[in-house]
Amino acid sequence: MSLLQVQNLRVEFPTRRGTLVALDDVSFEIAPGEVLGVVGESGAGKSMTGAAIIGLLEPPGRIAGGQVRLEGRRIDNLPYEELRRIRGRQIGAIFQDPLTTLNPLYTVGDQLAETMTTHLPIGPAEAKKRAVEWLELVGIPAAAQRVDSYPHEFSGGMRQRVVIALALCAEPKLVVADEPTTALDVSIQAQVIALLKNLAREKGTAMMLVTHDMGVIAETADRVAVMYAGRIIEIGAVREVVKNAAHPYSAGLMGSIPPISHRVERLQAIEGAMPRLSAIPPGCPYNPRCPFVFDRCRVERPELMPAKANRAACWLYAPEEAHRLQESGLA
Amino acid sequence: MPEPIMLELRDAARHFDVSRPLLQRVIAREDKRILRAVDGVSFQVPKGTTLSLVGESGCGKSTVARLVVGLYQPTRGEVFFDGMPLAEARADASKRQRMQMIFQDPYASLNPRWRVSDIIAEPIRAFGLIRDRRKQLERVGELLTQVGLSPLDGQKFPHEFSGGQRQRISIARALSSNPEFLVCDEPTSALDVSVQAQILNLMLELQKRLGLTYLFISHNLAVVRQVSDRVGVMYLGKLVELAPSETLFHTPRQPYTRALMEAIPDLEMTGRTRIPVGGEVPSPITPPPGCPFHPRCPLANERCRIEVPAMIPARGTPETLVACHAVEEGRDGFLDGKPRLTPEPA
Ligand SMILES: Nc1ncnc2c1ncn2[C@@H]1O[C@H](COP(=O)(O)OP(=O)(O)OP(=O)(O)O)[C@@H](O)[C@H]1O
Ligand SMILES: Nc1ncnc2c1ncn2[C@@H]1O[C@H](COP(=O)(O)OP(=O)(O)OP(=O)(O)O)[C@@H](O)[C@H]1O
Ligand code: SF4
Ligand code: SF4
Ligand SMILES: [Mg+2]
Ligand SMILES: [Mg+2]
């Protein structure tokens, strides 16, 4: 059975000028020991999905529909206190913004130790010892000397590693990691990825990994979901999505990865910008930017359907549009 | 004729006192702990060019950036902006206006109580660049569009935006006073690759059109290759290699630079395992004597453990400055035709 099930999740932001739909009918599952990568346009709703799962949507944002289940049990409608306990013990969260997680008034060692004594059956001395071990595991040099440092005394990447250690140290069943490696150099990144992977493999931890770094996705994720304008528009095995994307947006995204092997005159990018939440067009949300758009795309909304080896929300893959798929060259 | 120099650092250093409180120190009979975040860095950035700094997390890149824009005073050494000592240049509003910084943390650098349009217009107002209110808003709208947002977004507050959208707001803010020199600390780390490409194309286009100068910091080596004229590699507060970008990616010389290139993520999913730089990351509080890389270096010998290598032209690629005894002594294998680490350009 899946460890995490997200079904038809809808998140809304009521505003003075009407209700914004930030997440629209988002569904996916993660099995124990599995890493689901989540990629997509900046502002597409990746962090929002993570926040909704762990019950930390910022008001006035609210879950307006759908369900979130952890080991079969609904957690989206639990009272605040109960959810908080589950969050601490069973879900580890790594936020995109390391400073909001770290308390500037406490040393990093105290924060780690406190998290462990709250959620694990260990005393303060053992917790302090493990705090140093965790700092070593995430590659902080001279961990024993720096365990008593305050967050502002660490570099951006070192703070990010402390946040990772904080999320993992209580041995959660599910880890929601939002951009955990952006501030890390390639070498430390490799080390952190190996750590996350080992956790998934050995302890059966399920992981939702949000990142813009396709290298990290390629090395860590088992499956990948691609988001655009509050929806999942493609989902499938990592290799198939990265190397053989079906949806025109995913294909454009993968085509925009800057090459490492040589310098180019102009970097490839998808033309235009994602629509604002208040101006998402009817039909397929990608239709104003899509090179393959046709009439149906502007009227009817595509659901996820089988597309190549994946599932994609694109009319080109409807059986009756097979001739268009042929012409598009995407097949 | 060589381009005039926009920025120069001469042996710049910044140390931090990270000692424990005096009483605790006396009880534990401990010395003061000095952390050498940046320890003697020299480089020049000619006008209209981009110098990138790369290196391990915590090696001192952001500290260099903060020294360059005057947020930290150097403990030792000097910083010159357009031929003038930095302190003098900072005291002069017309020079200050020419210099902006995009901070590594897009969350901490935006005032949460201000509307986005006021955040972006702030440098325009502070320097009195555009007086007319309506023209100010027009300019803000133009900047928002340039970074892939909408002029209507100006009405909102920072917390209403995603991480990458906030990063784009700080880029728009940095561009608003038409600076000639921009310090960009991880400017695109929160952006998807397509929006990142749009922003980098914008930066490159501004450079071509208006001759902007960039000091660029990034962990993403593919991005660094796309934007840089020259690249400096830092290790434990020091520059260890400085070379034209293509030379560096083609023929990295210093063993740490070579290890860094080996650790680049594998997008091709060929199953190649990344080789992380081996060994312990040393502490900047008690840096090793001699070459700072020697405890992890496969080429280290007795001399490396004692003598600090100086930055000198590399044998074989004299356009590269490198601090390495092995390169100087010709025992790094380069002259025997060591294979290149990245493929030849197509
Ligand atoms: N408090 C809020 N009020 C209104 N809209 C919001 C609020 N917070 C976020 N949004 C909007 O919700 C959308 C989704 O945001 P989210 O943070 O999930 O994006 P993301 O996919 O994580 O992007 P990034 O890659 O840039 O971090 C964005 O368009 C954002 O502008
Ligand atoms: N205000 C400070 N007080 C004490 N130590 C500091 C301070 N600022 C930075 N440091 C230390 O200086 C060193 C260099 O930090 P810096 O932020 O320059 O690194 P960086 O190269 O930018 O790293 P990253 O890639 O992780 O952002 C680190 O060891 C850091 O802990
Ligand atoms: S549904 Fe139509 S507009 Fe949308 S991605 Fe497919 S072809 Fe393009
Ligand atoms: S000086 Fe010696 S230790 Fe340092 S990088 Fe060169 S060979 Fe290695
Ligand atoms: Mg986000
Ligand atoms: Mg930094």
Side-chain angles (χ1 to χ4, degrees), chain A residues 237-316:
Chain A
V238 58
R239 208 191 165 80
E240 296 301 326
V241 175
V242 175
K243 286 269 154 234
N244 195 14
H247 194 283
Y249 170 71
S250 318
L253 186 70
M254 302 308 160
S256 304
I257 299 171
I260 180 71
S261 58
H262 60 287
R263 185 167 179 167
V264 294
E265 195 41 48
R266 196 180 161 76
L267 287 160
Q268 203 154 327
I270 305 171
E271 286 288 312
M274 196 175 70
R276 314 174 69 227
L277 290 184
S278 55
I280 296 177
C284 168
Y286 191 55
N287 78 54
R289 302 171 79 184
C290 181
F292 312 111
V293 58
F294 55 101
D295 293 345
R296 187 176 186 179
C297 311
R298 298 198 184 86
V299 192
E300 244 182 292
R301 173 173 168 176
E303 299 299 326
L304 286 173
M305 55 188 104
K308 298 192 182 176
N310 311 329
R311 294 171 64 73
C314 170
W315 285 126
L316 289 175

Side-chain angles (χ1 to χ4, degrees), chain A residues 15-17 20 40-44 46-47 58-59 96-100 136 139-142 145-146 148 153 155-159 161 179 182-191 193 212-216 218-219 238-240 242-243 249 252-254 256-274 276 289, chain B residues 17-18 20 33 35 55-58 104-105 107-108 115 148-150 152-153 156 159 162-165 168 186 189-198 200-201 204-205 208 219-223 225-229 246 249 256 260 263-270 272 274-277 280-286 296 342-346:
Chain A
T15 72
R16 271 167 290 123
R17 277 150 290 154
L20 299 178
E41 187 105 346
S42 162
K46 304 179 295 295
S47 299
E58 248 182 72
Q96 199 171 359
D97 170 11
L99 284 183
T100 53
E136 272 164 7
I140 301 282
Q145 278 186 59
R146 305 205 74 183
D148 295 321
E153 295 176 320
S155 78
M158 291 159 70
R159 283 197 287 255
R161 281 176 271 164
E179 301 282 3
T182 38
L184 306 182
D185 61 90
V186 285
S187 185
I188 298 284
Q189 193 187 68
Q191 191 179 336
I193 286 172
H212 290 304
D213 192 326
M214 297 299 172
V216 170
E219 288 187 339
V238 58
R239 208 191 165 80
E240 296 301 326
V242 175
K243 286 269 154 234
Y249 170 71
L253 186 70
M254 302 308 160
S256 304
I257 299 171
I260 180 71
S261 58
H262 60 287
R263 185 167 179 167
V264 294
E265 195 41 48
R266 196 180 161 76
L267 287 160
Q268 203 154 327
I270 305 171
E271 286 288 312
M274 196 175 70
R276 314 174 69 227
R289 302 171 79 184
Chain B
D17 186 344
V18 292
R20 291 202 286 174
R33 282 190 197 159
L35 186 150
E56 230 158 24
S57 168
Q104 183 169 8
D105 185 349
Y107 292 86
R115 283 185 200 280
L149 296 172
S150 153
L152 298 170
D153 286 327
K156 298 205 234 162
H159 76 266
S162 76
Q165 291 168 335
R168 286 181 269 166
E186 300 280 0
S189 59
L191 302 179
D192 65 89
V193 286
S194 174
V195 171
Q196 166 174 277
Q198 289 179 336
L200 296 176
N201 283 336
L204 290 169
E205 185 196 307
K208 229 186 233 162
H219 286 305
N220 187 327
L221 295 172
V223 165
R225 187 159 195 174
Q226 299 309 323
V227 302
S228 313
D229 295 295
E246 282 308 297
F249 280 99
Y256 171 68
L260 194 67
I264 290 174
D266 175 23
L267 203 73
E268 296 307 315
M269 290 183 274
T270 50
R272 165 174 75 91
R274 277 209 250 177
I275 312 165
V277 186
E280 283 259 320
V281 182
S283 158
I285 302 172
T286 49
R296 302 166 79 186
T342 57
E344 294 252 12

Side-chain angles (χ1 to χ4, degrees), chain B residues 100-102 120 123 169-179 182:
Chain B
Q100 282 289 346
M101 173 153 172
I102 302 169
I120 297 175
I169 293 165
S170 48
I171 294 170
R173 179 184 185 280
L175 292 174
S176 73
S177 64
N178 302 320
L182 257 181

